[in-house]
């Protein structure tokens, strides 16, 4: 592994540490790798080592290139400094040829204040990550208590926001669990795919939750360390897995329905399809059965599966719908 | 195992099936068992066999007595019939001596409409369960679409609500994930301990998610089946584990802070303690350091742990606080 | 679930308890189910309830029909009585139409003495199971200490023996771990596919190892309960998974190489292929490179994969070899 | 993380790469760390990168200091060169103060030929590791095919051999599974604690088995990647876990009975105790009940637990026995 530490901004003490694994050779089916950028927590006052390398190791183990960003904190924490740092790091990760990163497979993970920053990158940045993992992240009205000039990310979720993985403990008394729930609510309302794990109990700042990072004498729900493998699985679902010479297609789409895609499909909600004259023509006599508020919220694929329509018939409808632009 | 099917209400076709495991003998350390009551889904129109026995098996395997309730559906579904059925079942489970159930260790689990019913039992019933597991449960304004006379459970969470475990998939297009998120928000606001797992994708009605219950040809996030063992772990945390002759003490308290308990303690929030003159006297010179909005929301245990106060010193403060009634 | 208790042999107190799940209807993709027959332990003196229903529940949860056999013990334990009981049970499980069992997907699982009996069924019976799971099973010279007239199963492994899953703890002082190791050695020598998990420490007789069956005050390696889900995965690998209207093809072949199959293939060892004149003709110039003791023990698929031959080329060789009988 | 590459032997191209995590500071409860030394495979011809860093990451994530040794291969592979390299590395790891390693908590992990080397270190070295993890390791008569001058480790297990964790796949056609089984048999006969996982199918050389290291197009039993976390758990059991300022006591003893310890105890086998006059005096009237071949092989703790003797009574006997030297 090649380790490299780059000063991104000398004035603000911003550094990017790169952990780069080889490609090709004995990894012959791996020409490039997906990447993850780690944003440690520390209340925008410092960057905690407990949420830096130990997190990078988990994703290195999974085959990712890993990066740790020590972003602007303390007297340099004023917005938008930290977000600028993240964007600068993302741009570098995507463009440095010798790091062998798939530029469209770069995730970000952040904890506490770093989780706020990761969510800001996912919702506000010009240069967006392709997925975000948010650990007991500050959001909502608690943001200003942590960084007075920083934006409330629950209000910033948009259609460019990538899929997110959100975790926390229910009894966190530093960053209340409502922060995570409200950010999930915003994602759900925007139909962005997300995954969320809220564990029954445990204090703020558990990082990976294993005994080498979190003192086992401080009670922590024993399911907490599962978030690590679960988040690796989530990235595999939304970015794809290592295939033969390229990444496989993602199993989890970016949006929870097809309503945001450029063309129509059976993954659109019935309500959207019924508003489109061409779609109604494709559906023909089926249209009569697609009534009722509940049905309109369902995807066409969902309702046809419910009705046991054979897969090939569903596929034919899908092909026809995909000819129609979603306007 | 003894299997028994009891007609609870002949007029409404309500039946309770009991799966009863032996106690004592070769299970010499087990004089009684915790129990779980399964409420299948089916839109208050029927009770699905896919969400009945396969769920019971998981908890039987963990050592629970298990019960499946076929509650009032279809033309008998008008409120409060189904809730009456659940209360009748809970009362019987707690009182039948030959079933060897710990009366204060009875959980309820429900799916979809059955999840709404389980949440109603947890928030509204006279006879409450000691924990509730809610699978892609209907809640919020979607309730009336499913059962016009049924209450919106997100509005009913109170201090008698037991700890809850909430799971769903993000892309459920029958019961939108907002139903689960909003119920969690209500639990969080009431400081009820809960755990929640929202998986990235998969259709409504996956039950345990394994191939013997959910057709593997219908895409489902591969982490979904984890909810089963995770919920068993959650019940262990909030009800206790099988000890020697009795259940062990729960690791997870009922409330996320001590603010709802009858006496004060270091698990109370600093804000609450500072409002109590006797508590302030116990804290003495410490009080001066317990300032700021963030600190007031934290528990005293949290802030003292943060400050590295030794455990025995924290315990001494705790003992003194526990002499003071929480009024 | 339908529960039925059948007296198989009144004179010897042999009973078979059947736990039968429905097929079709809401399980529309499941016309039949695989099955498992549970053989509890008890030193051929009794049948332990701790190794009966709690085990059945795990496989019921996975979608199996489950059966518990109370076989001939105590004064009726003389060989071949217990084996006769198992064969009688297997025959009935395979033939009772109303139990909806795939007759070629019937596994057996046994513990301690019951594990010896399961291994005897797998190696000696006329009516063989399709897979066997052996928990801290008696084998080798320890058999006679447990049942003086019973056979040493390590000596009985033959080509009709089905795939086996073997587990135990290293520190078992009732049935030493050598019993399990020696049985695995016999399977390996016969090239029967098997899986084996020996855990670091724990006493004899832990059953499923969870707190509802094994007293948590008796130290037990915390990985032990994993055998349950692992054995379910093993059965999926060797019997197939629930597909749409039928079971899928097994991922794990019955034998570790193709040397026992009726026709040649790339899964045969190079040594076997080189002895066959027709195979040598198919291999042509490749033959020259297939030299050396190490290479002769490898499968042709293994060595060609090593040499990075493209998959389609390997498939062409495979097709040609499959025309040649393995004589 | 500090990364350092040290040339251990310039003539033979032997290098040790150290990955060193911080102690103290925000890891305030961690004054030192346990360590692992990784020995990649490659048939003593090379050291594979696939079995080097990706393995180190797993143990770094768990909190270990990790080291990768590129030992003597190719024309330098003659015995005892590689073993000398390992001993040199172990000595350095234990003595370099700035690496902050507990000198009695240093494990070794090796794969294939590296697994042979790890086993040689565990059984033959002057400087022994405190635990060994052996992945599809060469052992028995297959050793000479791989390195003609190297010893057969199955013949070298002695009382100084530390606890071992052994894993492989059943269908490995390069290093037959018998290699692993026979090494386990030797450990069992010497009463060394071990753990072993043999998976149903998969090729030689899968490393951690995840898609970032093993090409998912090559079929591999889906339980294989479990060995990683299981081996971390095994090390926790035999070396202890991160406690407050020191490692906790191991849960798994080094030997499967107390027969090898300097003093007697209830963990000795009954057979050993009955041969000791002082022990017989301690046991008193109990002695009469401790008869029979099966009982003599059991530990006294095991037989007394079986007989439901209360824990405090067992502890009193234990204390008395611990006064008696094991001669």
């Amino acid at each position: 592994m090649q380790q490299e530490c780059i000063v991104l901004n000398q004035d603000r003490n911003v550094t990017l540490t790169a952990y780069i694994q080889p490609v090709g050779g004995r990894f012959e089916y791996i020409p490039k790798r997906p990447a993850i950028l780690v944003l440690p927590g520390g209340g925008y006052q410092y960057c905690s080592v407990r949420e830096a390398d130990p997190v990078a190791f988990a994703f290195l183990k999974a085959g990712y290139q890993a990066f740790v960003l020590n972003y602007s904190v303390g007297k340099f924490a004023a917005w938008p400094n930290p977000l600028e740092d993240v964007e600068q790091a993302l741009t570098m990760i995507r463009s440095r040829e010798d790091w062998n990163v798939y530029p469209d497979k770069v995730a970000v993970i952040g904890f506490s204040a770093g989780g706020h920053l990761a969510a800001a990158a996912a919702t506000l940045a010009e240069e967006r990550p392709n997925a975000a993992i948010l650990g007991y992240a500050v959001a909502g009205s608690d943001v200003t208590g942590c960084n007075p000039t920083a934006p409330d990310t629950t209000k910033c979720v948009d259609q460019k926001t990538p899929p997110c993985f959100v975790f926390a403990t229910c009894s966190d008394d530093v960053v209340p669990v409502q922060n995570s729930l409200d950010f999930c609510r915003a994602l759900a309302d925007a139909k962005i795919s997300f995954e969320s794990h809220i564990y029954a109990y445990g204090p703020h700042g558990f990082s990976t939750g294993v005994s080498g990072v979190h003192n086992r004498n401080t009670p922590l729900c024993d399911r907490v360390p599962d978030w690590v493998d679960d988040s690796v699985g989530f990235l595999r679902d939304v970015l794809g897995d290592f295939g033969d010479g390229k990444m496989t297609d993602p199993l989890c789409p970016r949006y929870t329905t097809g309503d945001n895609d450029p063309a129509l499909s059976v993954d659109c909600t019935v309500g959207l399809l019924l508003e489109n004259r061409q779609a109604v023509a494709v559906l023909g006599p089926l249209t009569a059965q697609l009534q009722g508020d509940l049905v309109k919220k369902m995807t066409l694929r969902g309702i046809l599966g419910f009705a046991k329509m054979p897969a090939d018939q569903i596929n034919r409808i899908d092909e026809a719908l995909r000819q129609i632009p979603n306007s």
Side-chain angles (χ1 to χ4, degrees), chain A residues 79 116 119-125 128 140 150-161 183 186-187 190 192:
Chain A
W79 209 257
H116 170 264
T123 56
L124 286 166
R128 300 277 176 103
D152 172 355
T153 49
T154 63
K155 301 227 171 72
C156 307
V157 173
D158 64 4
Q159 292 304 305
K160 289 190 287 177
T161 301
F183 192 75
L187 293 167
I192 306 295

Side-chain angles (χ1 to χ4, degrees), chain A residues 42-118:
Chain A
Y44 282 114
Q45 295 307 306
Y46 62 96
C47 287
S48 173
V49 291
R50 292 176 60 255
E51 294 158 347
D53 288 349
V55 177
F57 299 143
F59 292 92
L60 286 164
K61 172 174 174 278
Y64 280 62
Q65 310 291 33
F67 303 86
V68 173
L69 181 70
N70 279 348
Y71 49 88
S72 299
V73 292
K75 61 182 173 182
F76 306 114
W79 209 257
N81 285 357
L83 183 58
E84 274 179 15
D85 303 337
V86 175
E87 294 197 68
Q88 194 180 346
L90 287 172
T91 303
M92 182 176 286
I93 290 167
R94 283 172 167 142
S95 59
R96 273 276 301 258
E97 297 252 329
D98 59 325
W99 285 351
N100 293 305
V101 167
Y102 288 110
D104 59 343
K105 312 277 183 196
V106 181
V108 67
I109 180 170
F111 298 81
S112 193
H116 170 264
L117 183 52

Side-chain angles (χ1 to χ4, degrees), chain A residues 139-220:
Chain A
S141 58
D142 287 307
V143 169
T144 50
C146 171
N147 190 332
T149 59
D152 172 355
T153 49
T154 63
K155 301 227 171 72
C156 307
V157 173
D158 64 4
Q159 292 304 305
K160 289 190 287 177
T161 301
C164 294
F165 182 98
V166 175
F167 67 94
T169 50
C170 174
S171 64
D172 188 328
D173 61 354
V174 176
V175 176
V177 72
Q178 284 89 338
N179 286 247
S180 291
L181 290 174
D182 291 355
F183 192 75
C184 288
R185 189 57 155 90
L187 293 167
D189 291 344
K191 294 178 182 292
I192 306 295
S193 286
F194 73 93
E195 178 152 330
S196 165
H197 299 273
I198 310 290
Y199 302 100
Y201 67 99
H204 190 72
F206 50 78
S207 183
T208 60
V210 299
S211 60
V213 181
H214 172 86
N215 188 332
R216 66 208 291 272
N217 293 329
T218 303
L220 182 68

